């Protein structure tokens, strides 16, 4: 693996963690929303990632070059039913349905994504420093 492949992989990882952070922010923003039915209520979403592969020239083999977002998975956890007969979105029985976002899980996910992003930045910086040192060896 060349040093430039490391940049591709680290950049792909940073992009994936950025998507994960954005989806977590969306979940947190909708944590307290309510709707008139369980089908309309917001459901927590998580990205599904897959390895991105590239064919290696000549041998027909494949080499990993990072990750890509394959899909978005919605949580199947039940929505909480609240009795709020005066709410404009209440159904005929006076119930509204809160989103199924678990804020503690989302905050944990946000911290994990943030640290993974920071690790990818460190990989990129270390690779850059190694490449620069290699170029300096060639100058001497």
């Amino acid at each position: 693996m060349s040093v430039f492949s490391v940049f591709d992989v680290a950049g792909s990882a940073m992009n994936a963690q950025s998507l994960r952070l954005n989806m977590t922010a969306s979940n947190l923003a909708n944590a307290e929303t309510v709707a008139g039915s369980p089908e309309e209520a917001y459901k927590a979403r998580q990205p599904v990632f897959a390895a991105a592969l590239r064919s290696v020239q000549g041998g027909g083999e494949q080499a990993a070059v990072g990750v890509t977002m394959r899909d978005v998975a919605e949580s199947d956890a039940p929505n909480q039913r609240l009795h709020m007969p005066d709410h404009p979105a209440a159904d005929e029985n006076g119930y509204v349905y809160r989103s199924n976002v678990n804020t503690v899980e989302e905050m944990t996910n946000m911290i994990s994504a943030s640290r993974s992003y920071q690790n990818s930045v460190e990989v990129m910086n270390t690779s850059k420093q190694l490449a620069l040192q290699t170029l300096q060896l060639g100058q001497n």
Side-chain angles (χ1 to χ4, degrees):
M1 178 186 291
S2 74
V3 71
F4 299 112
S5 295
V6 172
F7 289 126
D8 290 341
V9 172
S12 174
M14 289 168 61
N15 185 44
Q17 296 309 321
S18 179
L19 287 168
R20 188 173 156 204
L21 282 167
N22 285 336
M23 205 159 292
T24 299
S26 177
N27 287 342
L28 287 170
N30 288 290
E32 296 297 322
T33 60
V34 295
S37 71
E39 294 80 25
E40 294 173 359
Y42 183 84
K43 300 198 179 345
R45 295 174 173 93
Q46 298 297 327
V48 177
F49 296 109
L53 303 174
R54 178 175 54 200
S55 295
V56 177
Q57 293 177 338
E61 299 173 13
Q62 292 185 332
V65 292
V67 296
T68 183
M69 188 170 81
R70 177 180 287 177
D71 196 12
V72 175
E74 282 191 351
S75 172
D76 57 356
N79 296 87
Q80 182 182 7
R81 187 172 80 161
L82 303 170
H83 189 259
M84 298 175 77
D86 295 333
H87 195 281
D91 63 9
E92 62 277 354
N93 296 322
Y95 289 102
V96 293
Y97 298 85
R98 181 180 288 165
S99 71
N100 65 357
V101 174
N102 183 331
T103 55
V104 174
E105 285 180 11
E106 293 300 326
M107 292 299 290
T108 304
N109 195 14
M110 183 178 67
I111 292 168
S112 174
S114 177
R115 288 190 178 157
S116 293
Y117 187 92
Q118 290 170 347
N119 287 339
S120 296
V121 169
E122 286 300 317
V123 166
M124 196 170 278
N125 285 335
T126 301
S127 297
K128 181 181 93 175
Q129 290 300 322
L130 289 173
L132 289 173
Q133 288 177 0
T134 302
L135 288 173
Q136 287 176 352
L137 286 174
Q139 289 178 345
N140 295 335

